[in-house]
Amino acid sequence: MSGSAEDAHRMPGQLASLLIDVSTEAVGATRGHAGGVYLRSGTPGLLRLAVLTGLPGPLFRPWWRMHVDRPFPVADAYRLGLQVVLPNATETMRRYPQFAAGLPFQFGSLYVPVVAGTTTFGVLTVLCPSATDATELLHHRDRMVRLAEDLGASLRRLEDGGRSSVAWDGEPVCVRPPGARPPAGRAGGFAWDPVTDVVTADERLPALLGVPADEFATSVQALADAVAPAEAQRVLTALRETAGGRPPPLPLYVRSEDGALRLVELWSPYASPSPPGTPSGAHPVRGFVVDPGPGAAADAAADLLPEGVLCLDRLGLILYANPRAAQLLRRSRTQLLSHSLWDGVPWLNQPAVEDHLRSALLCPDPVRFHVERPVPTGGERDPGTYEGDRLDVCVYPGPDVLTCVFRPASRVTEAGELASQPGVGLSESDSESATAVSPTGPPPSPPPASPSMAPLYRPIVLAIALTEAVTARQVAAVVTREVLPAFGGRRLAIYLVQDRHLYLAWENGFPKGFLAPFEGVGLDARLPGVETLTTGRPIFFDSMRQLEEAYPGIALDANEGARAFLPLIASGRPVGSCILGFDRSRSFSTEERTVLTALAGLIAHAMEKAQRYETEAALARGLQQALLPRRLSVHPQVEATGRYLPGTQGMEVGGDWYDVVEAGDGLALVIGDVQGHGVQAAATMGQLRSAVRAFALGDRAPDEVMSGTNHLLIDLDPGQFASCCYIRLDPASGQARVARAGHPPPLLRQPDGHTEVLDLPGGVVLGVDPHAHYPVAELHIEPGAVLALYTDGLVERPGVDIDDGITALRVALSKVGAPATRPSRRTLAGMADRLTALARHTTHRPDDISLLLATRHPPTNPHH
């Protein structure tokens, strides 16, 4: 459904507020680690994570989108309308092995569908501490059921009141968990109206800022000066960006005049764009200022520690970093404090580190691992301070804060020695303080260092990712993203077999032109990439020297690193070979060889599936082109032209069609859109097009054409539906009779260029109701006027109301070409090309597009 611009403006703010409140209440009520709400999106069959409470969004990006058919608990809860209770990792692995593979940690989880009547809006979920069995979580489930019921009712009211469908198509909103918010006595709230520049504050804010209530100024500049005198401009910038609909993704941490830490959180009850008549950047802003409490003494104590200490909140924001941490991480404290971990230390953004941080956020036990620092810029090292490129990292989970301790791996002390060092963990009494590092008690002894667990479950993670890859290029992109980082690789080449020769399908990281001599080599060539395929055995080289000794005379690049050649064999059939390249010499352990061999099998099956898919897609495209009209029926007084653009996702074929058919002494102008994509949609389209042509050739009335086609579709495929617009035009008089079945309204461009949307009555889509009625409307088409019929793919955009898309098309139609009393076929073709130019150059078109333009000429004999 579509609503007014004001409705579209109001709903996102109300929706986000509802979801945040329910998610945080669910986490608090169940004492969970984190929670969130998945909502349906504008893409059929796709759920999106709308709100994530208590976890940093970047760490959980793979779970932002969820198709309802995937074997995941969220999808089952939504699709089946069932509550899913997973008390521990063992039960999760038993019931949902793919989900457990991506998050192999000790936690429980609950999933409750959000339903109102017959509508399922989404799923409320909570991740909680591990339990022995499901009975321990039943009281939490009951509380979540009540919250989900209340949320469903609220979403229904929001949808009905706003006349717009409740859906989520953006990134998730990440919010702090309820327990992490400071007590109300140490926070003050305010509101700012950018139009009047008036700030209103509650009674607590002046006291918190040390300003008498009767002297508290009401301007935004005065507010920024009072909150953080030395950082007033930073606060002002954040306030103005929030007023423009772009609130900061994380809280601001600033310093008061005496150096004490203050936290500023900002939000707007509305989302961009502003409602009609509202000046740009004039969203009202709300926020609060928090004084976390004294932490200077703890800061000073931790500043003296020989280890690097870094504190993160549960959204990944760096709250504290001692000087040693800045030195070891090769970043200044200014670059660290108040930044997310991924912005503050970009080189920590690697899969193995993310695995361990997820573990620390979801499990109560400390995590210890090694991480390799990048070589300093320019490759130069200071001999006096260089301590190796590997760091030993211990992460100690807390209820609100993670404490990370860094030491050079070459100087790792014994666990007992570390335990005797005070001041490296958070005490319970200081957990509210953003930088409170306890000087009174040691942290738990760190567990023994272990390598990343990523390679152990990487095959299943890769299998999950490959399920969404349908072309050979997409498969290779997944391998680049998932496999190379897990093993430290930098180069990838994938060759596929065709006519007993190997052809390069994908390469990444190799010097330009280096792989050209190997293109099209036969399967009898003595090359490792060929022999790994013909023998079916992977080949590993620890260095280039080993490779050259085994294959004298082989072309080598300047890199001295290791190489792995993996056979791609699926169902006993050779598919191709995969080459992994590494920047440094290295050995491959037995475990790594086993895992890489398993990965090669997964890649081979995915490539085989992709080749089948691409063959089927080519056939489907051929089928669709055969079904679309090769030429349109002509009439001396009517010119018509059509355009069709396939979608760029999936099989790139769909159910759109257009046609011009002789109907008695007139013409029938037809456009339609069958739900879905692929061969089935194209085949159904062909049947409907044939039926409409048959009815038109019999000169049946427009409502009879719609009713007959409706019954045919119900008989052909119950459950599938299509939209259609049918116009029977009398070329001589210009009179037209129109019937619509759930299709977007036509546009009519008058000879003077004025263009209007024809708000004509219509019936429901075809294939739904066997008793549906399709009213007939009449209109007159002047000579020189242009009639435009189109499918929704031309006017729909994610997150944009379809009415806005139709308005944009109307404006574009009014501007293309000069007004003419007799537009030619060439003129119409140019208009059609310009109207579809933007879509033609758009890389991501989720839907196919059809456009039909027609114009009427006056009779050549005025007495005719």
Side-chain angles (χ1 to χ4, degrees):
M1 285 184 283
S2 60
S4 68
E6 184 178 356
D7 295 330
H9 169 79
R10 183 186 303 116
M11 179 178 283
Q14 293 176 316
L15 178 58
S17 178
L18 267 176
L19 301 179
I20 291 170
D21 289 346
V22 170
S23 178
T24 53
E25 186 173 352
V27 173
T30 60
R31 298 182 182 178
H33 298 307
V37 180
Y38 281 86
L39 281 188
R40 62 189 183 181
S41 71
T43 302
L46 185 69
L47 302 177
R48 285 187 178 270
L49 182 60
V51 169
L52 179 61
T53 299
L55 292 174
L59 274 186
F60 294 84
R61 186 180 296 272
W63 295 273
W64 284 8
R65 294 156 44 105
M66 185 70 61
H67 197 278
V68 297
D69 291 331
R70 294 186 71 182
F72 277 57
V74 167
D76 278 0
Y78 180 87
R79 187 181 67 258
L80 305 176
L82 301 175
Q83 302 155 19
V84 179
V85 180
L86 302 173
N88 49 49
T90 302
E91 183 67 8
T92 303
M93 177 60 80
R94 185 183 70 82
R95 296 177 57 185
Y96 297 96
Q98 290 188 358
F99 174 61
L103 294 170
F105 312 121
Q106 292 296 327
F107 67 91
S109 53
L110 301 95
Y111 309 84
V112 178
V114 178
V115 181
T118 59
T119 302
T120 302
F121 290 101
V123 177
L124 175 64
T125 178
V126 165
L127 309 183
C128 55
S130 184
T132 304
D133 55 46
T135 58
E136 297 182 33
L137 300 181
L138 292 184
H139 62 291
H140 292 330
R141 181 204 62 186
D142 294 341
R143 176 60 176 149
M144 285 183 62
V145 168
R146 290 193 292 273
L147 288 172
E149 290 174 349
D150 293 343
L151 176 60
S154 299
L155 294 179
R156 168 60 73 198
R157 289 193 296 272
L158 183 62
E159 187 170 80
D160 293 342
R163 302 190 302 281
S164 299
S165 295
V166 169
W168 192 275
D169 285 296
E171 296 184 355
V173 177
C174 298
V175 297
R176 303 168 74 223
R181 291 195 180 276
R186 297 220 299 257
F190 66 89
W192 172 47
D193 184 348
V195 176
T196 61
D197 193 30
V198 172
V199 174
T200 55
D202 63 20
E203 67 278 4
R204 295 191 301 268
L205 185 60
L208 185 149
L209 299 178
V211 179
D214 56 351
E215 298 179 13
F216 187 78
T218 59
S219 73
V220 69
Q221 180 68 57
L223 173 68
D225 290 337
V227 170
E231 299 178 84
Q233 189 57 45
R234 183 165 166 242
V235 175
L236 276 174
T237 299
L239 284 162
R240 287 165 181 160
E241 288 181 349
T242 305
R246 302 182 305 278
L250 296 168
L252 298 178
Y253 285 87
V254 296
R255 297 283 176 177
S256 65
E257 190 170 12
D258 61 1
L261 188 75
R262 281 177 178 163
L263 177 151
V264 181
E265 291 207 29
L266 304 173
W267 71 94
S268 172
Y270 301 109
S272 185
S274 304
T278 303
S280 176
H283 292 302
V285 177
R286 296 178 185 174
F288 60 82
V289 181
V290 178
D291 178 3
D299 285 1
D303 282 353
L304 301 177
L305 290 175
E307 292 85 13
V309 178
L310 200 71
C311 294
L312 313 172
D313 73 2
R314 291 191 65 84
L315 294 188
L317 194 73
I318 301 174
L319 308 178
Y320 167 78
N322 71 353
R324 181 59 168 155
Q327 181 187 26
L328 290 174
L329 296 174
R330 297 177 180 147
R331 306 286 285 176
S332 69
R333 296 178 84 178
T334 302
Q335 291 173 312
L336 296 174
L337 293 175
S338 301
H339 292 82
S340 71
L341 181 64
W342 303 273
D343 291 335
V345 194
W347 56 266
L348 285 179
N349 186 16
Q350 47 186 284
V353 175
E354 292 182 352
D355 289 336
H356 292 300
L357 289 176
R358 282 192 285 262
S359 175
L361 286 162
L362 297 176
C363 304
D365 300 323
V367 177
R368 184 175 180 183
F369 58 96
H370 287 166
V371 65
E372 188 165 344
R373 295 184 294 184
V375 176
T377 304
E380 300 176 358
R381 300 183 174 110
D382 182 350
T385 60
Y386 176 63
E387 300 177 278
D389 288 330
R390 290 175 66 80
L391 294 179
D392 179 74
V393 186
C394 295
V395 183
Y396 300 96
D400 301 329
V401 179
L402 302 183
T403 301
C404 307
V405 179
F406 297 86
R407 291 171 296 169
S410 59
R411 299 186 181 180
V412 175
T413 57
E414 296 297 325
E417 180 183 345
L418 179 65
S420 67
Q421 303 264 356
V424 293
L426 287 177
S427 68
E428 291 184 6
S429 60
D430 287 330
S431 63
E432 293 176 357
S433 174
T435 63
V437 180
S438 170
T440 59
S445 297
S450 59
S452 168
M453 68 184 73
L456 298 179
Y457 59 90
R458 190 62 57 182
I460 302 180
V461 174
L462 179 64
I464 296 169
L466 287 175
T467 60
E468 298 182 357
V470 294
T471 67
R473 188 175 185 84
Q474 290 171 342
V475 170
V478 168
V479 176
T480 302
R481 185 177 67 246
E482 296 289 340
V483 177
L484 286 185
F487 293 90
R490 293 292 184 270
R491 292 167 169 76
L492 171 71
I494 294 179
Y495 285 86
L496 299 180
V497 175
Q498 183 178 348
D499 298 328
R500 295 192 57 77
H501 289 75
L502 285 176
Y503 294 92
L504 185 65
W506 177 273
E507 66 92 13
N508 181 75
F510 282 94
K512 185 177 181 181
F514 173 73
L515 298 175
F518 304 104
E519 180 71 2
V521 297
L523 295 187
D524 56 351
R526 189 174 184 276
L527 293 169
V530 173
E531 293 188 359
T532 189
L533 179 61
T534 56
T535 64
R537 295 192 303 270
I539 306 174
F540 299 92
F541 297 100
D542 295 350
S543 66
M544 281 294 192
R545 180 174 298 177
Q546 282 189 2
L547 175 58
E548 188 175 21
E549 290 173 354
Y551 294 88
I554 189 173
L556 303 175
D557 61 18
N559 182 266
E560 290 297 325
R563 290 287 184 272
F565 296 84
L566 309 174
L568 302 182
I569 299 175
S571 306
R573 188 179 69 86
V575 176
S577 58
C578 176
I579 304 170
L580 301 180
F582 302 83
D583 284 345
R584 301 179 180 180
S585 299
R586 57 159 295 172
S587 59
F588 296 89
S589 67
T590 301
E591 179 187 74
E592 286 178 319
R593 292 175 184 238
T594 302
V595 171
L596 284 170
T597 303
L599 294 177
L602 292 175
I603 297 167
H605 281 284
M607 280 293 181
E608 183 185 47
K609 181 186 73 174
Q611 289 176 316
R612 264 198 324 268
Y613 171 87
E614 289 170 349
T615 299
E616 293 172 0
L619 291 173
R621 284 191 291 269
L623 169 64
Q624 187 172 46
Q625 291 300 322
L627 292 174
L628 287 172
R630 293 179 179 271
R631 63 180 183 83
L632 302 177
S633 296
V634 295
H635 189 280
Q637 291 178 249
V638 176
E639 299 282 359
T641 189
R643 294 291 182 272
Y644 172 78
L645 300 178
T648 59
Q649 300 176 10
M651 201 168 279
E652 300 185 6
V653 293
D656 283 17
W657 90 92
Y658 60 85
D659 210 346
V660 178
V661 189
E662 295 180 8
D665 57 357
L667 286 179
L669 309 174
V670 189
I671 196 162
D673 183 2
V674 177
Q675 172 207 20
H677 302 85
V679 176
Q680 180 61 43
T684 302
M685 175 269 284
Q687 292 171 305
L688 294 188
R689 175 174 174 259
S690 297
V692 173
R693 283 186 67 87
F695 288 132
L697 290 170
D699 203 13
R700 303 275 289 275
D703 55 335
E704 294 180 22
V705 175
M706 290 292 96
S707 296
T709 310
N710 179 46
H711 285 101
L712 173 66
L713 181 56
I714 292 174
D715 293 339
L716 282 175
D717 189 356
Q720 192 166 31
F721 59 86
S723 66
C724 186
C725 181
Y726 182 94
I727 300 180
R728 201 281 188 186
L729 171 66
D730 182 351
S733 66
Q735 291 302 114
R737 305 182 70 223
V738 185
R740 284 198 304 145
H743 202 81
L747 304 179
L748 184 61
R749 181 182 189 269
Q750 299 295 351
D752 62 0
H754 173 73
T755 305
E756 60 182 318
V757 179
L758 300 178
D759 187 15
L760 306 174
V764 298
V765 292
L766 306 172
V768 174
D769 181 6
H771 306 293
H773 172 64
Y774 298 96
V776 176
E778 295 189 354
L779 63 110
H780 181 73
I781 300 177
E782 296 285 347
V786 176
L787 183 69
L789 306 180
Y790 54 92
T791 56
D792 55 10
L794 187 60
V795 293
E796 278 191 330
R797 298 289 182 275
V800 179
D801 194 295
I802 191 173
D803 288 346
D804 294 336
I806 293 173
T807 300
L809 180 62
R810 178 188 63 78
V811 172
L813 179 61
S814 69
K815 293 179 179 179
V816 295
T821 57
R822 185 180 175 88
S824 66
R825 184 180 298 276
R826 186 172 181 179
T827 304
L828 278 185
M831 296 173 80
D833 288 339
R834 286 192 288 276
L835 291 175
T836 56
L838 179 61
R840 191 181 304 277
H841 294 92
T842 299
T843 305
H844 301 290
R845 287 196 306 272
D847 201 1
D848 43 349
I849 292 170
S850 285
L851 172 69
L852 178 63
L853 300 181
T855 187
R856 173 175 167 258
H857 304 318
T860 54
N861 181 356
H863 302 291
H864 178 63

